[in-house]
Each structure stands twice: as structure tokens, then as C-alpha cells.
């Protein structure tokens, strides 16, 4: 008996809080059902560090620094369908609250005036991702195919969405499942 | 040095009956005498009026013409409609700024002048134009700006500027029953009294008069239902009937002082490219006021209000003198024309630079001293309007028509036009034509006929009824001006073959993003997204994805926006996309996708702060 080919799914968290990934894990025991139809590529769940060719890419969080852009472009290149999961990915969300603060003031506050700092210095190591002056929603950087709203989207919504896609249906969320908070 | 005096707050507040419902008028007077509305003034006003400071602040921060920081002795606002741009506005603005040694949106170093833009000021037939301390100056060119720069450098008070700078001709190119025929003040009232109110309503009904403000609602129906609606008699005045404000929470101001029913004339005329109400008020105000008085007689109102857009400040004194003359002649005030119990008077309120206040329920909110945010409708104003009382809101031109019908009967009126669109219509023609101005045409004329009349052989497109109206291409010039085909509030902006219709639509998206009142998210965010996307396309960074996004935004606006502004805000983009696809296609750099912002540029601040310039501190903009 040959098993049907599983969908390959990659996930990542950019400027997010991992809450959306927690919600993904909240699928609980149905994760086993899910794993019958999907397998994970790059994801915090697998700890695979780079993304290979995938059917679906799921992105949590907005874009706040140069590294986010590299990851996002890698996902776009490798994933047939790219999904923005959660308020941060869709609008910038909580991290975008810093958009009203000047970047220079942010750095000063964190590295010069922060409590307990002495002779604070602004780090300039190339290993550190360089921040943008504003946090952006991911659809401003690459083309996005689906938006899954919520902060985070409920486990049921994620489940519904993924199983629809796996079954080759156009994903559709019932009114009760569609919420923005 | 400045033109502005110290502000007599108690005097201003007393002039407006110590009534917080007159907050917009109070703030206007403060702004006009001090040049700003300083923060501590708000505290003093709160004390004088006995209302929380936040409520005053909400109003003060809503209107474009109110500001807390000084704009110097001379505040100059350039009208920013596409028609002004076509007439060289940007270059002229730069020219003036250079002459005055300043940058736009920054107070000059000597604290003397401030230059900025404002939405169309109702002078598209005399573009480009501007407001100086609220007073309109039309037909700008280099020599007029030289003169103005000179006057400002010499610190001449505005009152001593040459009057010719402020002269605004009517430019009536084709007259008709409203604009071309003599009217004896009182004639319509005499006829109404003789005929009786029921018969007057029947006459309006037979004339099939429909609102001239754009939507075309039947005037007789509105008046009849307002007349039937129960108002609160003066004796019951008090905060009894408290209806929720737009949010459902904060109740509307409910301190009744006037009679039970109200007549409101909508003279906000904010739709870019429209200027016919300006002309009616300038030269035919008697007709308009008489129409309001006829309405008062029919619905039983004691008080009328004209909501005059702030941009028409220059008309205020003239209109007040017409009102005074009418009072002298017994056409306003107590026992009008000797009729016992026929008491009615009219007060003028000025707007403060908010297009949304043309929407009738936002207008009423503004008359009540609040931010101009549209109410939930129903209930409509005919049942629950000004101070929550039954109120008729009609456009300036509608009242003028009503006066004519009362005076001459319906047959004369229906002799013009089509069965569904009776009478004449004032069209405000501007743009690429030889004779811009007012054309009073019978309903049913084709666009082509108007184009021939105004000398626009080269016309390629016409924006009918302003940004929220319809854009038609040269293929559709045989369509007719009528409610059944092209309804219009009057704007008629002509664009020749040389014009870039993409830029026209882009200008309109800026207008809507600026004028969205911010009450509901689909419109507040949607109009900004539209503007940003159009700017992205203009910068040569557009893609098919962006085009699609704009269509999606249009659906969201149509389905979800709270009022007409949001519903129509995407029209210019969607219509030009459909009718002038070339204008868009040539701007699509990549067919698939292009980031919304400059990726590498957005890292430059952080590069500066960290002093980094390594490979990882850069992004390719591909
Ligand atoms: C965003 C918006 C702006 C409007 N601006 C005006 C205006 O400037 N003048 C006007 O008469 N009506 C305007 N209207 C229409 C009014 O809400 C209302 O329909 C009109 O004043 C009714 O008068 P009428 O029946 O005589 O046309 C506007 C409507 C909307 C939605
Ligand atoms: S959308 Fe909410 S849960 Fe998801 S990353 Fe953002 S803040 Fe966290
Ligand atoms: S649609 Fe726009 S203008 Fe109308 S209420 Fe909403 S935000 Fe205000």
C-alpha cells in the first residue's frame, strides 16, 4: 500500500512572540492526524535551519530587521503557498508599536540609559541582525497567498486551514473562527 | 507685528450664547482672533462652558483649520485639487516659498508666514487659488505672487491688501431659471402663504424636485416626513431625549434652545471641482434663503442654519447683510409678511476645513459643536437631526429650486429636463477648456454638449461629480447628465489628451486619505493604503499584485465603510484602471511583485547608529 504523498510544510517566527506557534501546538492530539497528511521542513518544531522546497510556508511575525528579509525571501523562493499567520505578520502587530518611536531613541534607551547599564555601547557586530527603522507587515516584502488573522489564530482555525489546503480545498474559515484578536 | 490680537474668550463665548453646542463657531472665532488655539485656551474654555476639556480637544483636533501651534501672521494654504496642479500650482508654490525664504509646512524663521496645502477651495474655474488667513485669492500667477510676497514682507495687514486680489467673478457662462432670471425677494413666500402649505408640498411633489447635493432624494418626500415627525416643543427644552453619538456611547449634546423643527442648508460644497453653491450664495442668496423660509413654513420650523464651508469665509459678511435686509423687509423674523405665528430666522455657521462635514449627519454633528463624524443612519435627520429634532437638510441649489417652484408652480419647472430629472442643473466646469465657469443646463444634456459649449474640443476624459463621482472617457461623451445616467452634484472636470489619468486618480486618493474622518477602520486604513499604493506605482515600483490589492480594498470599502466617503473613495482608482489601463500598465515595473518600501534604505538609520557597513548591513532591492 502506497501512502499518499504528504504535504511539506515549513514554519518560522520573525518579529513575533511565538504565540502563533504555541497556538499551532494547541492542535493537541489532532497533531497526530495532521502528521498523517503533512510533514515539517524548516520549523522551530524540527529545528531544521534552512528551508527546502515545500508546499506550504507559514510565517509568524512581521519584518523588523535584515535577517527577517532573508528568511522571508527564502520561504517565498521555496514554498508554493505562503501564509501570513497572525496579526504581527499581517499588520506588524505589537512589535510595530515601536514605529512611533525614533530608532535612535530606541537604541539610546536600550544601550545607553537602560537600568543597570554603565558605559553602555551600541553593538556593531555583523552577526547581529540590523533593524529597520520601522516594523513592516510581511506582505510589504514578498507576495503572500493567504492571511490567517488572529492574535493568535485559534488552534481550530489553523487546523481547519491546513486540512483544507491538504485536501486541496480552497481554505475557508467559518465566521466564528474568523477573529482579529 | 502680527495681525492677531489677544483673544477675548468670555466675549466670544457670550457671543455664542455660552452654548457648548456652538463649539466649532467658538473655536473658529478664537482661531481667527489669536491665529491659533493655544492649549491653555482649551482649559479656559472648559471652565467657561462647563464641559470637560477632552470634549473641546476632540473638536479642536478634528478640523484642519484649527491648530495649536502658531502659523504666523500670514497662513497661506494652496488649493490642492488636480485642476490646481494642472494650472501650475506646484511651481507657483515653490516660487512663493523661494520669495519668502521658507519651506512648506514650516513656520518661517521670523515667525511671519506659513505655507501649506489644503483640499480644493471651490475655485476650480479660477485655478490655481489659495487661502490667506482664510480668505480666498483666485487666479494665481507669478505677478500676483510677487505682489503678495511684497505685501507680506512689508507686513501689511490683510485688510489693507488691494481688494482686487480677493475679487472672485461668478463666471456664469450659461444662465437659466436660477442664475439668469430676476427674483423679487418675498415672491415665493407670498405664493406659499396664498397657496397654503399642503398645496405647496403638492407643488414640490408635482415638480419632482430631487436633491441637488448629489444623491437626488425627493425633496417633497423629505419635507413631508420631517413635517410629520414630532419635534420637542420649546417648553420641554432640557436634556431629555438623549440619543447615542456615533459610537453608541457618548450621548449627543442635547440642550434644546430652538424650536421643534429645523431647516439646515448644506453649503459645505467640499467636493473638489464643485463651485456652484459659491456662485448661488454670492449672487442669488435671496433665492436660497427664501427657499429655506418656504421650507420653514411647510415643516413648521422656527430656526434655520446655513453650514457655510470655512473656505467661503469671504462670503460671510455679504450673506449676513442679505439676512439683515430680509429681516428689515419682514421676510425673516417674527410674523413674516404679517402672518401671525410665521416666525423664522436664519443663522450662519462656518465650517473649519473638513470635507466629511458635507455629509448631512456629520454636518449636524459639527453644527452641534462636535467632531464631524457621520452618525448611524437611520434615524435620518428628517426625524432626528439637529439637537435630535426633526430637521430638513438640503443643498443650497435645492433650496433655490424650491423657491422657484413655490413662486412659479411646478409646470414651469418640469418644462425643463427629463421625466426623472426635472428642471435645470448648475454645472461647475473646470480644467482643460476655454471657458470654465457655471453652466446652468437642463437635465438630460449630453456630456458632449457641455464640452462644446465650454470649448473643450480636445477632451479625453471628464470627472463628473468630483472624485466621488464618475470618471468617463471620450467613448462615453454621449451619456447624459441626469439622475438616471450620470447623477452629479455639479463638478465637471475636463481632461485633455495630454493629461495623465493616473495622476488624476492619484491626486484623488490623496484627497480621500486626507479627508477620511477616521471613525471607521476600513476607510481610515483603506484610504491610506490606496494612497500609498498609488504613490508606489508613481515611483515606478508597482506590480500586478498592487493592482489586485487596490481592487480588494475597493470591495472592503464598499462593504464595510460607515459612510459615503468610504464607499466611493476607491472609485477614481477603479474607474481609471478600467477606462485608462495604459496609464497604469506603463507603471508596472515588475509584473509579479515589488516590495512596498526601499529595503536597503530602511536600514540606513541603523547603519548610521551602529556605524556598520558590512555585507549583512545591506539588502539587495530586488
Ligand atoms: C462624503 C459626503 C460629502 C457630501 N458633501 C456634500 C456637500 O458638500 N454638499 C451637499 O449639499 N451635500 C453633500 N453630501 C450629501 C449630503 O449628505 C445630503 O445628501 C445632502 O445635503 C442632501 O441635500 P439634497 O437632498 O438637497 O441634495 C455629501 C455626502 C457625503 C457622503
Ligand atoms: S499575532 Fe499575536 S500571538 Fe502571533 S506573534 Fe503576534 S503577538 Fe504573538
Ligand atoms: S467611511 Fe470614512 S469618512 Fe465615513 S465614517 Fe468611516 S472613516 Fe469616516
Amino acid at each position: 500500500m502506497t501512502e499518499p504523498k504528504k504535504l511539506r510544510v515549513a514554519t518560522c517566527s520573525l518579529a513575533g512572540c511565538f504565540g502563533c506557534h504555541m497556538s499551532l501546538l494547541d492542535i493537541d492530539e489532532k497533531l497526530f492526524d495532521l502528521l498523517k497528511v503533512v510533514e515539517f521542513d524548516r520549523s522551530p518544531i524540527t529545528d531544521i535551519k534552512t528551508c527546502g522546497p515545500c508546499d506550504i510556508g507559514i510565517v509568524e511575525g512581521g519584518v523588523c530587521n535584515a535577517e527577517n528579509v532573508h528568511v522571508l525571501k527564502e520561504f517565498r523562493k521555496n514554498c508554493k503557498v505562503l501564509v501570513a499567520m497572525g496579526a504581527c505578520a499581517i499588520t506588524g502587530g505589537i512589535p510595530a508599536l515601536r514605529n512611533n518611536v525614533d530608532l535612535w531613541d530606541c537604541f539610546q534607551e536600550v544601550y545607553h540609559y537602560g537600568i543597570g547599564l554603565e558605559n553602555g555601547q551600541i553593538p556593531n557586530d555583523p552577526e547581529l541582525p540590523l533593524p529597520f527603522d520601522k516594523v513592516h507587515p510581511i506582505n510589504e516584502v514578498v507576495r503572500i497567498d493567504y492571511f490567517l488573522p488572529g492574535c493568535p489564530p485559534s488552534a481550530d482555525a489553523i487546523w481547519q486551514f491546513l486540512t483544507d489546503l491538504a485536501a486541496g480545498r480552497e481554505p475557508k474559515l467559518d465566521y466564528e473562527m474568523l477573529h482579529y484578536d | 507685528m502680527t495681525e492677531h490680537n489677544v483673544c477675548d474668550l468670555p466675549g466670544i463665548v457670550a457671543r455664542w450664547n455660552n452654548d457648548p453646542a456652538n463649539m466649532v463657531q467658538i473655536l473658529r472665532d478664537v482661531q481667527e482672533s489669536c491665529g491659533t488655539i493655544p492649549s491653555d485656551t482649551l482649559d479656559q474654555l472648559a471652565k467657561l462652558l462647563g464641559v470637560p476639556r477632552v470634549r473641546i480637544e476632540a473638536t479642536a483636533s478634528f478640523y484642519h483649520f484649527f491648530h495649536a501651534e502658531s502659523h504666523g501672521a500670514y497662513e497661506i494654504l494652496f488649493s490642492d485639487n488636480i485642476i490646481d496642479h494642472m494650472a501650475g500650482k506646484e511651481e507657483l508654490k515653490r516660487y512663493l516659498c523661494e520669495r519668502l525664504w521658507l519651506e512648506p509646512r514650516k513656520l518661517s524663521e521670523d515667525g511671519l508666514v506659513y505655507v501649506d496645502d489644503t483640499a480644493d477651495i471651490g475655485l476650480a474655474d479660477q485655478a490655481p487659488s489659495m487661502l490667506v488667513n482664510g480668505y480666498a485669492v483666485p487666479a494665481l500667477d507669478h505677478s500676483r505672487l510677487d505682489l503678495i510676497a511684497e505685501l507680506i514682507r512689508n507686513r501689511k495687514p490683510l485688510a489693507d491688501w488691494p481688494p482686487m486680489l480677493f475679487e472672485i467673478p461668478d463666471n456664469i457662462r450659461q444662465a437659466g431659471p436660477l442664475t439668469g432670471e430676476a427674483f423679487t425677494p418675498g415672491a415665493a413666500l407670498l405664493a406659499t402663504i396664498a397657496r397654503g402649505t399642503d398645496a405647496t408640498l403638492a407643488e414640490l411633489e408635482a415638480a419632482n424636485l430631487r436633491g441637488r447635493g448629489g444623491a437626488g432624494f425627493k425633496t417633497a418626500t423629505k419635507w413631508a416626513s420631517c413635517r410629520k415627525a414630532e419635534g420637542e416643543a420649546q417648553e420641554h427644552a432640557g436634556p431629555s431625549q438623549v440619543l447615542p453619538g456615533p459610537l453608541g456611547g457618548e450621548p449627543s449634546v442635547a440642550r434644546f434652545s430652538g424650536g421643534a423643527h429645523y431647516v439646515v442648508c448644506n453649503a459645505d460644497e467640499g467636493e473638489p471641482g464643485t463651485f456652484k453653491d459659491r456662485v448661488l450664495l454670492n449672487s442669488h442668496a435671496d433665492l436660497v434663503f427664501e427657499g429655506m423660509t418656504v421650507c420653514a413654513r411647510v415643516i413648521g420650523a422656527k430656526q434655520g442654519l446655513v453650514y457655510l464651508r470655512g473656505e467661503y469665509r469671504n462670503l460671510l459678511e455679504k450673506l449676513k447683510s442679505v439676512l439683515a435686509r430680509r429681516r428689515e423687509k419682514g421676510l425673516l423674523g417674527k410674523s413674516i409678511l404679517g402672518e401671525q405665528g410665521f416666525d423664522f430666522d436664519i443663522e450662519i455657521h462656518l465650517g473649519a476645513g473638513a470635507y466629511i462635514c458635507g455629509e448631512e449627519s456629520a454636518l449636524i454633528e459639527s453644527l452641534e459643536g462636535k467632531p464631524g463624524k457621520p452618525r448611524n443612519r437611520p434615524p435620518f435627520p428628517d426625524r432626528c437631526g439637529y439637537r435630535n429634532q426633526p430637521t430638513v437638510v438640503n443643498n443650497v441649489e435645492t433650496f433655490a429650486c424650491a423657491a422657484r417652484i413655490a413662486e412659479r408652480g411646478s409646470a414651469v419647472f418640469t418644462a425643463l429636463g427629463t421625466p426623472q430629472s426635472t428642471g435645470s442643473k448648475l454645472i461647475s466646469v473646470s480644467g482643460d477648456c476655454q471657458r470654465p465657469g457655471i453652466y446652468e443646463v437642463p437635465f438630460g444634456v449630453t456630456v458632449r454638449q457641455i464640452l462644446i459649449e465650454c470649448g473643450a474640443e480636445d477632451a479625453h476624459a471628464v470627472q463628473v461629480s468630483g472624485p466621488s463621482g464618475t470618471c468617463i472617457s471620450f467613448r462615453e461623451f454621449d451619456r447624459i447628465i441626469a439622475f438616471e445616467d450620470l447623477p452629479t452634484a455639479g463638478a465637471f472636470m475636463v481632461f485633455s489628451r495630454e493629461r495623465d489619468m493616473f495622476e488624476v486618480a492619484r491626486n484623488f486618493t490623496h484627497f480621500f486619505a486626507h479627508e477620511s474622518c477616521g471613525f471607521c477602520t476600513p476607510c481610515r486604513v483603506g484610504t491610506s493604503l490606496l494612497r500609498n499604493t498609488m504613490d508606489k506605482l508613481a515611483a515606478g515600483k508597482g506590480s500586478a499584485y498592487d493592482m489586485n490589492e487596490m481592487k480588494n480594498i475597493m470591495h472592503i470599502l464598499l462593504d464595510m465603510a460607515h459612510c459615503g466617503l468610504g464607499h466611493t473613495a476607491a472609485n477614481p482608482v477603479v474607474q481609471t484602471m478600467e477606462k485608462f489601463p495604459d496609464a497604469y500598465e506603463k507603471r508596472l515595473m515588475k509584473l509579479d511583485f515589488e516590495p512596498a518600501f526601499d529595503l536597503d534604505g530602511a536600514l540606513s538609520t541603523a547603519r548610521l547608529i551602529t556605524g556598520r557597513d558590512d555585507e549583512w548591513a545591506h539588502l539587495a532591492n530586488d
Side-chain angles (χ1 to χ4, degrees), chain B residues 356 374 515-521 523-524 561-567:
Chain B
I356 190 58
E515 297 300 329
S516 165
C517 83
F519 172 65
C520 66
T521 312
C523 169
R524 183 182 62 244
H562 177 63
C563 84
L565 187 149
H567 295 151

Side-chain angles (χ1 to χ4, degrees), chain B residues 462-479:
Chain B
V462 179
Q463 186 76 27
V464 179
S465 203
S468 69
T470 319
C471 178
I472 62 169
S473 81
F474 55 94
R475 296 181 197 87
E476 307 165 84
F477 284 171
D478 289 316
R479 293 180 64 179

Side-chain angles (χ1 to χ4, degrees), chain A residues 23-36:
Chain A
S23 198
L24 174 66
L25 293 180
D26 268 348
I27 293 177
D28 292 340
E29 76 281 3
K30 278 190 284 187
L31 266 177
F32 293 109
D33 296 333
L34 189 65
L35 285 175
K36 286 184 196 146

